[in-house]
Amino acid sequence: MVPQVKISDIAIWIKHIESPQLQARLKALPEEEFINLETDGIVGRWVRMKTGKDGRPTEGIRPDGNMKKVWSDWYRNRRGELISIREVQLADDYLINVSKLFVEWDSPEDEEAFRDL
């Protein structure tokens, strides 16, 4: 079953997501860290919200970039609807994470030898 969340605010509150696994994943994100999510078939970037002024973590994520426009439109026109939500990994994110595994290849000599490939 695909997790769901109700469109109920300008942000998504983690406790409203119907998936303990996705809730745990989002809670583990450092503040201001981004994650790509597919919401109702649209892939967009979301950011973990900052800790509040009182020092308590804000248990939510906010849309970022073009996802702000999409979510804002949905909030105005579709408030109260349940939609699907799941994490997705973009190729760019995958390659960034994999490249960290091969730091021995990240040298000026390698850059000189392979820059035109």
Side-chain angles (χ1 to χ4, degrees):
M1 183 171 150
V2 177
Q4 293 187 311
V5 67
K6 187 182 285 188
I7 301 171
S8 61
D9 205 334
I10 58 171
I12 293 178
W13 301 104
I14 295 172
K15 67 183 179 181
H16 294 162
I17 297 172
E18 297 176 353
S19 167
Q21 294 84 8
L22 186 53
Q23 283 183 7
R25 169 77 172 103
L26 295 173
K27 285 180 182 181
L29 284 176
E31 64 181 47
E32 294 295 301
E33 183 75 22
F34 77 89
I35 187 169
N36 292 304
L37 297 173
E38 180 184 320
T39 51
D40 204 31
I42 305 294
V43 175
R45 184 172 155 142
W46 293 79
V47 177
R48 175 69 195 261
M49 295 168 73
K50 288 195 263 187
T51 299
K53 291 181 183 179
D54 61 0
R56 292 183 298 163
T58 305
E59 300 282 318
I61 55 174
R62 60 180 170 75
D64 191 50
N66 287 329
M67 194 65 209
K68 282 182 187 179
K69 296 173 191 164
V70 172
W71 191 257
S72 178
D73 179 61
W74 288 357
Y75 180 65
R76 277 192 310 277
N77 299 305
R78 298 177 59 188
R79 191 176 314 163
E81 273 187 48
L82 273 176
I83 60 169
S84 62
I85 183 170
R86 67 182 184 95
E87 182 176 5
V88 294
Q89 188 171 34
L90 303 179
D92 293 342
D93 298 333
Y94 174 78
L95 293 173
I96 286 170
N97 290 329
V98 169
S99 67
K100 293 176 189 174
L101 299 174
F102 301 105
V103 293
E104 65 273 12
W105 293 356
D106 191 19
S107 69
E109 294 83 16
D110 287 332
E111 179 61 30
E112 178 68 27
F114 301 110
R115 75 170 173 245
D116 295 328
L117 294 179

